[in-house]
């Protein structure tokens, strides 16, 4: 029991803020010092993002220790880390350190025990339109990249082959990466702002796992597309095995996105154990609120008029 208590104390969200602040400083420094960063824009974004995260983390540690500022600080930190998890996927294009940062942000968010208000009808529809539109756009981009990668692998024309891989790389940076971020954010808002939740239903949890796994696959796909763009700049350059890997990766991308679309329409699988637990608690709460003792404790003795 003593060991468990010490472990809980160390994983307290306030203590994790200090750990995340130190990590953010080190990660920002590592990204800034990298000489061969393939994407200077994301390198700058990583440095600025982690510098801001360090300042917020140390400030959050201080504010969480004050009763007057703790509630507002808690809400700010929940929103920040929910947004910072997908943002750190972008920083992976500059360095591998954000893998640890995503884990820490997730631990902090869970430790803060977020509770989100239900979205109103109009607000929910607006977010749903954004999520569906961005998801369809992401699927379209993935299909286009798959077609281009097949063209680059199979064509005998040097200019067409090289231009196909240039377009794959351009689509990846300009369209696919922003789509990942926006789909994750809009999906999280809809899930947390409605009774579906993130982990209460199997189809939602499966979609979440797919959405989080695709950026991991994208780190390999992005490296392969850059390699092929450079290699095919030479008229004698051939895609080779890397070209086949790129086609397979993008085909898996498309298959997973189609699977996520099917899940959204049919919603199979029922509730998870977390969903069953919350469903069990809800009727209990309703019965208690309607019991005579609960009515007796209401103002005016609970008498109806």
């Amino acid at each position: 029991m003593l060991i468990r208590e010490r472990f809980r104390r160390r994983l307290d969200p306030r203590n994790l803020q200090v750990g995340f602040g130190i990590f953010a400083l080190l990660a920002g420094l590592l990204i800034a010092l990298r000489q061969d960063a393939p994407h200077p824009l994301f390198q700058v974004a990583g440095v600025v993002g982690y510098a801001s995260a360090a300042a917020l983390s140390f400030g959050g540690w201080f504010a969480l220790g004050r009763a007057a500022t703790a509630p507002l600080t808690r809400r700010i930190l929940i929103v920040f880390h929910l947004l910072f998890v997908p943002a750190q996927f972008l920083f992976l294009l500059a360095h591998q350190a954000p893998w640890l940062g995503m884990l820490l942000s997730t631990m902090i968010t869970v430790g803060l025990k977020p509770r989100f208000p239900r979205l109103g009808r109009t607000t929910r529809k607006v977010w749903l339109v954004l999520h569906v539109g961005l998801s369809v756009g992401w699927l379209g981009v993935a299909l286009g990249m798959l077609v281009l990668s097949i063209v680059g692998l199979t064509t005998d024309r040097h200019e067409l082959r090289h231009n196909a891989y240039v377009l794959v790389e351009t689509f990846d940076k300009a369209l696919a990466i922003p789509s990942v971020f926006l789909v994750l954010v809009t999906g999280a808002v809809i899930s947390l702002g409605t009774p579906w939740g993130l982990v209460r239903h199997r189809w939602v949890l499966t979609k979440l796992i797919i959405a989080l796994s695709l950026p991991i696959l994208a780190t390999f796909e992005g490296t392969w597309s850059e390699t092929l763009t450079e290699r095919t700049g030479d008229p004698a350059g051939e895609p080779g095995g890397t070209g086949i890997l790129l086609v397979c990766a993008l085909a898996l991308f498309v298959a997973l996105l189609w699977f996520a679309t099917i899940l959204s329409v049919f919603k199979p699988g029922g509730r998870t154990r977390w969903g069953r637990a919350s469903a069990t608690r809800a009727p209990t709460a309703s019965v208690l609120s309607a019991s005579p003792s609960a009515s007796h404790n209401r103002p005016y003795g609970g008498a109806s008029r």
Side-chain angles (χ1 to χ4, degrees):
M1 293 295 292
L2 181 61
I3 295 175
R4 184 182 298 178
E5 186 62 29
R6 288 179 179 176
F7 183 72
R8 284 183 179 177
R9 193 178 300 120
R10 289 178 181 177
L11 291 182
D12 180 78
R14 187 165 180 253
N15 293 333
L16 285 175
Q17 292 303 316
V18 177
F20 191 82
I22 295 172
F23 161 79
L25 289 176
L26 293 175
L29 183 62
L30 288 172
I31 294 174
L33 293 177
R34 183 171 180 180
Q35 299 295 324
D36 59 340
H39 305 292
L41 177 62
F42 292 108
Q43 183 178 23
V44 173
V47 173
V48 174
Y50 278 121
S52 304
L56 183 63
S57 295
F58 291 126
W61 171 84
F62 178 81
L64 285 173
R66 304 294 185 273
T69 56
L72 177 60
T73 303
R74 177 178 167 275
R75 289 193 291 269
I76 292 173
L77 289 172
I78 289 170
V79 174
F80 170 77
H81 283 286
L82 278 174
L83 294 176
F84 205 55
V85 169
Q88 289 176 94
F89 277 120
L90 308 183
F91 303 161
L92 284 171
L93 295 171
H95 203 278
Q96 295 301 308
W99 287 119
L100 178 57
M102 287 185 283
L103 175 61
L104 291 173
S105 285
T106 302
M107 290 173 62
I108 291 171
T109 304
V110 172
L112 290 169
K113 299 178 180 178
R115 288 181 175 84
F116 295 89
R118 292 287 182 256
L119 296 174
R121 184 176 181 180
T122 302
T123 305
R124 180 179 60 83
K125 287 184 177 180
V126 170
W127 280 102
L128 186 60
V129 167
L130 289 173
H131 182 65
V132 171
L134 290 166
S135 300
V136 171
W138 189 9
L139 176 58
V141 169
L143 282 168
M145 292 172 66
L146 174 60
V147 171
L148 288 169
S149 67
I150 294 173
V151 170
L153 180 65
T154 58
T155 186
D156 293 328
R157 295 167 54 190
H158 160 257
E159 185 177 354
L160 178 59
R161 179 170 57 241
H162 178 64
N163 288 338
Y165 287 125
V166 169
L167 285 175
V168 170
E169 188 178 359
T170 302
F171 279 19
D172 188 34
K173 294 183 180 66
L175 296 173
I177 292 174
S179 295
V180 173
F181 177 80
L182 294 172
V183 168
L184 283 171
V185 171
T186 54
V189 170
I190 294 170
S191 297
L192 294 171
T194 64
W196 289 113
L198 278 175
V199 296
R200 294 177 182 174
H201 297 265
R202 289 192 176 92
W203 72 273
V204 180
L205 181 58
T206 304
K207 280 190 63 177
L208 177 63
I209 293 171
I210 291 173
L212 293 176
S213 64
L214 286 177
I216 299 174
L217 178 62
T219 59
F220 298 99
E221 172 267 317
T223 302
W224 294 332
S225 65
E226 291 169 8
T227 300
L228 289 167
T229 300
E230 295 176 1
R231 182 184 299 174
T232 57
D234 180 0
E238 295 291 336
T242 307
I244 297 174
L245 286 174
L246 181 63
V247 170
C248 292
L250 289 171
L252 181 58
F253 242 105
V254 172
L256 288 173
L257 288 172
W258 268 113
F259 183 55
T261 302
I262 292 170
L263 289 175
S264 298
V265 174
F266 291 96
K267 300 177 176 57
R271 292 178 182 267
T272 63
R273 63 186 183 90
W274 300 287
R276 290 193 296 270
S278 63
T280 302
R281 288 193 299 268
T284 303
S286 299
V287 170
L288 288 175
S289 64
S291 65
S293 59
S295 300
H296 179 73
N297 290 329
R298 288 200 301 265
Y300 310 109
S304 59
R305 294 184 180 181

